[in-house]
Amino acid sequence: MKAFGLTLNLKDDPQVIENYKAYHRNVWPEVEAALREVGITTMKIFLLGRRLFMYMESGDDFVAQRDFPRYLEQHPGCKAWDELMRTYQEKVPEAGEDEWWAMMEQVYDLGSGLQERAL
């Protein structure tokens, strides 16, 4: 299993934020099906102010740079969903030039021993 943390901002407008939340209470079924098809097993999006944090889990064979474009290219409904959601979103300043959702670095995992012990 792989885990990912990604972030971006919503536009600074309370109505935009409410609309985004409303869409996510009723995500289009074809979007959820396509995410599962490309290997996403868990996806959660959290909001603080206008900052979004997405937590995802996938199978070990999932490669974000390969599989997210495939999700959009092979599923017209997903492309339409992505285009609609982007009207509510803004890249964060830390995002790379080729990133929309900025990939975050994992620095701790309670169960994995990922953290290095300082002596």
Side-chain angles (χ1 to χ4, degrees), residues 17-66:
I17 293 168
E18 285 307 313
N19 290 346
Y20 186 86
K21 290 165 52 176
Y23 270 108
H24 282 81
R25 284 191 290 272
N26 295 294
V27 174
W28 300 348
E30 63 268 31
V31 169
E32 291 182 335
L35 287 167
R36 288 186 183 94
E37 182 182 310
V38 298
I40 303 297
T41 57
T42 299
M43 179 180 281
K44 299 177 183 188
I45 300 175
F46 300 86
L47 175 66
L48 176 64
R50 65 188 199 105
R51 177 64 61 106
L52 292 173
F53 165 69
M54 181 190 319
Y55 173 79
M56 288 186 336
E57 293 178 354
S58 72
D60 290 332
D61 58 341
F62 179 83
V63 177
Q65 297 80 2
R66 176 195 68 206

Side-chain angles (χ1 to χ4, degrees), residues 8-12 50 86 88-92 100:
L8 94 157
N9 285 332
L10 293 176
K11 292 181 179 174
D12 194 7
R50 65 188 199 105
R86 285 178 185 241
Y88 298 101
Q89 302 167 339
E90 298 176 337
K91 290 174 66 166
V92 294
W100 187 252

